[in-house]
Amino acid sequence: MELNQVSYFINLADTLNFTAAARLSGVSQPSLTRAIRRLEEELGGPLIYRDGKNSRLTGLGHDVEAEFQRVMVALKSVRNHSENWARGGHRVLNVAVAPSVGPKEFAAFFESALAEMPSIEIKLHSLQSNEDTSEVLSGKYHACILPREKKPQRKLDVRRLFRERFVLGCSANHRLAASEIVRGEDLLKFPFVDRLRCEVRDQVLDHFARRDLLMKPRFRSDREDWVQRFVADGHAICILPERSATAHGLVTRPIDGFVLEREVVIATVSGSTATVEIRKIAQLAARYEWN
């Protein structure tokens, strides 16, 4: 299948007339007719009922037209991106962020980065449960913001952003919120929410198990927004990274004897294969004064 066949068929579907479609396509009618016949042979069925002024698309023709229209929209987008890159114009950078990384301080960072680089646009994505930094190497994302992986890819440039503690999360009106430091045994008195997407989940549970503090989750979820809303409304408590608390009414408190931290990083392709813009974003992020 060739791209000219796609445009020929779209013109034919629009006019339902081979002569008019050929004129729109800038080719002779016999050339357009042959191209459509080759397309029908390749797709295994007729695309148009040929009946003079009463010509009409077949069922397959309608389905193919819808898909070809999407192809043309995608091609137009590709051309726009290509022209922008060639002119050094507006460029979109796709950045994936791990769901457990809170947005609280990134808004200010991206605002400052965009001020320095007015020709770019940041498009943020949620890093899915089956994705990691290999998506940067595949080209799906220009960068990933996530907790540091145990075995990072050698072809990646991984820059530290900040470290953060894991702490208790509870409602501002919760009894535990009145304490500056919470005792581990006090946690057992309240329902506990298990954050399934937490990368140190096993370490958290193991810490309390080794101290004969068996945490029994009453609620489990891989949705950070659900977990935090559940906790902020006072229905339960949780353990979460201190910078991830974003729900209104949710507060954090350190836990006595509980020392667990993580490092949040930004990962890009190393070397000159990374775009100039994403390398600049990574440099700005590494130098940024995270509160």
Side-chain angles (χ1 to χ4, degrees), residues 29-78:
Q29 180 179 331
S31 295
L32 183 133
T33 300
R34 286 194 296 271
I36 298 300
R37 284 176 178 167
R38 288 198 305 272
L39 185 60
E40 289 176 323
E41 291 172 1
E42 186 173 348
L43 297 177
L47 300 174
I48 185 169
Y49 293 116
R50 295 162 173 79
D51 190 16
K53 295 182 179 180
N54 295 318
S55 295
R56 61 196 184 279
L57 295 181
T58 64
L60 175 61
H62 282 291
D63 291 341
V64 169
E65 181 195 15
E67 295 301 325
F68 280 1
Q69 290 286 2
R70 280 190 275 269
V71 169
M72 297 305 292
V73 170
L75 285 174
K76 183 178 180 180
S77 178
V78 169

Side-chain angles (χ1 to χ4, degrees), residues 3-34:
L3 288 178
N4 62 351
Q5 290 175 293
V6 174
S7 61
Y8 292 173
F9 180 70
I10 288 177
N11 289 334
L12 179 60
D14 185 49
T15 62
L16 296 177
N17 182 287
F18 281 84
T19 301
R23 188 182 307 115
L24 287 174
S25 303
V27 297
S28 65
Q29 180 179 331
S31 295
L32 183 133
T33 300
R34 286 194 296 271

Side-chain angles (χ1 to χ4, degrees), residues 8 14 57 78 85 99 158-159 163 168 178 194 210 230 236:
Y8 292 173
D14 185 49
L57 295 181
V78 169
W85 278 90
V158 180
R159 297 170 183 257
R163 294 188 67 83
L168 166 74
D194 189 2
R210 283 188 281 106
F230 207 75

